[in-house]
Amino acid sequence: MADCIFCKMVNKEINTNIVYEDDDILAFRDIAPKAPVHVLIIPKKHISDMTKITEEDSKIIGKMHLAAVKIAKELGIAETGFRLVNNCLGDSGQEVMHIHYHLVGGRPLGDFVD
């Protein structure tokens, strides 16, 4: 989508601090981190939110989870624990309408990350 900031990152129109990339997934550091490790994991395919996932998309969603574990290991938080969060639509706080996970860790997170 032409106006999607995450699609612009995928297309290298906007520079970002990439921590992982493959044919289907892009992961980069959040510009307003909530913890020492805060990475956004997105599919390169534009999917606006969790409610728009199709059966065809299930493989890419699985790849996002595998990427999260790989990134957690590389960034040293897999042993101590991390949180993987998806916000879906307005009431959840989703700000960018391109499905993404927040991989958060590096400190005790408590009951909830806002």
Side-chain angles (χ1 to χ4, degrees), residues 32-94:
K34 305 288 187 194
V37 173
H38 189 162
V39 172
L40 299 181
I41 303 168
I42 68 170
K44 289 184 174 180
K45 174 185 176 182
H46 183 85
I47 304 168
S48 63
D49 63 78
M50 188 71 73
T51 69
K52 301 300 188 281
I53 294 171
T54 66
E55 188 72 31
E56 179 182 306
D57 297 324
S58 63
K59 184 175 179 181
I60 200 163
I61 300 303
K63 286 187 76 173
M64 291 172 71
H65 284 251
L66 292 171
V69 172
K70 182 175 183 173
I71 295 162
K73 287 177 180 176
E74 289 175 1
L75 298 180
I77 61 171
E79 293 293 322
T80 56
F82 58 91
R83 186 168 288 158
L84 190 61
V85 177
N86 170 262
N87 297 318
C88 182
L89 300 173
D91 282 355
S92 74
Q94 183 178 0

Side-chain angles (χ1 to χ4, degrees), residues 34-35 38 83 85 87 102 104-105 107-114:
K34 305 288 187 194
H38 189 162
R83 186 168 288 158
V85 177
N87 297 318
H102 295 259
V104 185
R107 67 166 172 81
L109 297 172
D111 291 337
F112 183 74
V113 175
D114 58 70

